[in-house]
Amino acid sequence: MPTKTLEATLAPPTAHKERKLQQLHDLYHEGLHEAFEAGADTQSAVNDIVTPYDLPYQVKDALKNYVPSLDDAQELSDDHPTRMVNRAASFDYSEERTHSYVWEVPQPGRGTNFWVPLRINPEQEQLWADLLDGNVSPGQLQLIQNRTSWKLHVAVEYSVEDADYDTDSDDVTHIGLDIGESSLIMGCALRDGSPTRPLVCDGSRAKHLRKEMHTTLKRLQERDAAEWRIDERFDHYQNALTDIVEKASRQAVEYARGFEKPVLVMEDLTYIRESLDCGKFMNRRLHAWAFARLQDRIEDKARAAGIPVEYVNAAYTSQTCHECGHIGYRDSGGAFHCTNDGCHITTFEGDINGAINIAQRADPWGESVPLKPAGNDSPRDGSACDSTTTHTEQSQSEQMTLGEVGSKPTASN
């Protein structure tokens, strides 16, 4: 059964509740650090360490499950979420409240829990209702402390409509989606092995908002602005970015629905952000963009529409020639250059090339990737870092006709 993460922002709590949330967060991290540094690799060993902590049982049980699986100290960063087992999933709903959904925050001891209002993602309202009705099963909860707010993530298991066709058959349409920064989504469908009708979702607005948010919040903090003003601006930018993600993911699914027996294909980005090394400036920008968040929303909408989703190896999708499989390079303008003299492709629109490669890898015979690039093909500005890169700026219409860069893609009706 597939899983999904429900997202909510805690409405600004009172000073008393804020202290309780902070205490919960700090004690969790203390117990996490102590258990990890002690080398506790069994639930029993973790239990011996965390038992004295004044934490609710839902948090202690999560620590006992989580710490034995830890093998990387990087997981102990300050922004690490406070984890809770599913018995902390106690919610209530009433239309009469300003914020209809509320969460009962677990506390140690009897009668000490308290309620906080939630600002849920409106696109997930039906799943929140299903959670309260018992139609979906809650999994782990994560309480996340951001710079100016608290967020709650709830993993749920849900059922979806299965596709009424075999995704391994020869007549399906594989659609590669390349998630980037300037081109938020570049999509390309394969029909009978041939690329057709590319899709472009421009990312310039999201990039502008992220840059503006970083600058604005930094200035407000430097001026010791009131906390409510910082919270207000942060929420403004987060809501605007959420709106962009929702519209882009909806656009990608609508694009897929235009093909017969579509299968959406995206890159498995589980580890790619940790391995990025595109320079300090580029790394900050890339880590700031929630690539996985956009992928999650695409998958949510696709599965709800009965469209299968597959994930493939992300290595070298932007640096491999989709026609001959030879490793080429991306220039600073985002164009792909094939260095194989025997290939008819010389220069190609880089983002479309990447999307085609992603779609092709859905074929089991296409999962093979090069062991290493043929020479240094990374431009100095970092634009060749695979997939999660800053691609060339595009303000083109949603769908384009294919063509080499020498004859730029043109808008189609």
Side-chain angles (χ1 to χ4, degrees):
M1 196 175 275
T3 61
K4 181 181 294 186
T5 299
L6 299 183
E7 301 176 354
T9 300
L10 275 61
T14 64
H16 172 71
K17 291 180 180 179
E18 176 73 32
R19 287 195 298 271
K20 291 293 186 182
L21 289 169
Q22 191 65 55
Q23 183 180 31
L24 180 64
H25 172 275
D26 293 344
L27 282 177
Y28 171 87
H29 278 75
E30 285 183 28
L32 177 65
H33 278 265
E34 184 179 350
F36 178 76
E37 291 167 2
D41 56 1
T42 65
Q43 291 191 11
S44 178
V46 176
N47 183 64
D48 291 340
I49 293 172
V50 301
T51 293
Y53 281 84
D54 194 23
L55 288 167
Y57 72 88
Q58 298 95 329
V59 174
K60 290 182 179 179
D61 285 350
L63 281 169
K64 288 186 285 186
N65 292 329
Y66 180 65
V67 174
S69 66
L70 264 177
D71 57 7
D72 189 348
Q74 289 184 352
E75 295 287 339
L76 307 180
S77 60
D78 291 339
D79 59 357
H80 184 86
T82 299
R83 298 170 185 267
M84 306 176 194
V85 296
N86 60 2
R87 283 169 290 173
S90 178
F91 301 97
D92 189 57
Y93 173 83
S94 173
E95 293 182 350
E96 298 178 1
R97 291 190 289 259
T98 302
H99 301 289
S100 299
Y101 289 88
V102 294
W103 173 46
E104 186 179 15
V105 183
Q107 291 287 288
R110 291 182 176 273
T112 57
N113 294 356
F114 60 88
W115 295 88
V116 293
L118 299 176
R119 298 170 176 170
I120 69 167
N121 181 342
E123 291 285 333
Q124 298 179 327
E125 186 164 7
Q126 184 56 56
L127 268 178
W128 278 101
D130 289 341
L131 177 62
L132 264 70
D133 292 340
N135 296 327
V136 298
S137 304
Q140 186 184 81
L141 281 72
Q142 296 186 11
L143 179 63
I144 303 164
Q145 184 179 34
N146 287 336
R147 181 182 302 172
T148 59
S149 64
W150 296 86
K151 291 190 178 294
L152 180 68
H153 289 177
V154 185
V156 295
E157 290 187 344
Y158 67 105
S159 59
V160 296
E161 250 182 72
D162 292 330
D164 57 359
Y165 49 89
D166 181 6
T167 59
D168 294 327
S169 64
D170 294 333
D171 60 346
V172 300
T173 304
H174 288 113
I175 302 169
L177 298 182
D178 189 10
I179 309 298
E181 188 181 36
S182 292
S183 297
L184 198 57
I185 302 175
M186 175 64 78
C188 194
L190 293 183
R191 287 302 296 168
D192 300 321
S194 299
T196 182
R197 292 169 50 196
L199 164 78
V200 176
C201 294
D202 180 61
S204 57
R205 174 62 176 161
K207 185 165 65 174
H208 171 76
L209 282 172
R210 294 195 306 277
K211 182 179 179 181
E212 185 180 297
M213 178 175 67
H214 175 78
T215 302
T216 301
L217 296 181
K218 183 178 179 181
R219 287 176 179 172
L220 287 173
Q221 289 181 327
E222 289 173 347
R223 296 172 185 172
D224 293 326
E227 194 72 19
W228 68 266
R229 187 176 295 277
I230 296 176
D231 289 345
E232 183 182 66
R233 296 313 298 165
F234 180 82
D235 288 343
H236 164 76
Y237 288 115
Q238 288 299 305
N239 290 338
L241 288 168
T242 296
D243 183 63
I244 290 173
V245 168
E246 294 301 325
K247 289 179 178 177
S249 56
R250 187 180 302 116
Q251 187 177 350
V253 173
E254 286 303 313
Y255 169 70
R257 290 167 68 100
F259 295 94
E260 185 179 357
K261 298 183 179 179
V263 177
L264 282 176
V265 188
M266 294 186 286
E267 296 173 308
D268 183 353
L269 303 179
T270 306
Y271 303 106
I272 195 168
R273 282 179 294 178
E274 286 73 11
S275 63
L276 282 173
D277 186 14
C278 305
K280 182 178 180 181
F281 174 69
M282 281 300 299
N283 279 346
R284 179 177 69 79
R285 292 175 65 193
L286 294 172
H287 281 263
W289 174 239
F291 295 102
R293 179 183 176 192
L294 179 54
Q295 282 191 336
D296 287 345
R297 296 305 293 142
I298 292 172
E299 180 175 355
D300 291 345
K301 290 179 172 63
R303 293 196 183 281
I307 299 174
V309 178
E310 296 182 7
Y311 290 89
V312 298
N313 194 325
Y316 306 119
T317 53
S318 66
Q319 302 169 41
T320 302
C321 177
H322 71 271
E323 183 66 26
C324 69
H326 189 81
I327 288 290
Y329 65 94
R330 291 281 297 266
D331 63 27
S332 58
F336 170 78
H337 300 267
C338 181
T339 54
N340 179 10
D341 293 336
C343 180
H344 72 87
I345 296 292
T346 55
T347 306
F348 203 85
E349 213 294 327
D351 292 330
I352 299 180
N353 179 70
I356 296 171
N357 281 322
I358 293 169
Q360 288 175 338
R361 289 185 183 179
D363 179 351
W365 293 101
E367 273 292 350
S368 167
V369 296
L371 293 177
K372 61 181 179 179
N376 181 9
D377 58 359
S378 299
R380 293 180 180 178
D381 67 353
S383 63
C385 292
D386 229 1
S387 304
T388 49
T389 63
T390 302
H391 298 320
T392 180
E393 285 289 342
Q394 304 203 32
S395 57
Q396 295 152 315
S397 60
E398 293 178 10
Q399 294 186 20
M400 307 184 302
T401 57
L402 287 169
E404 296 191 6
V405 171
S407 55
K408 276 286 191 181
T410 57
S412 64
N413 294 325

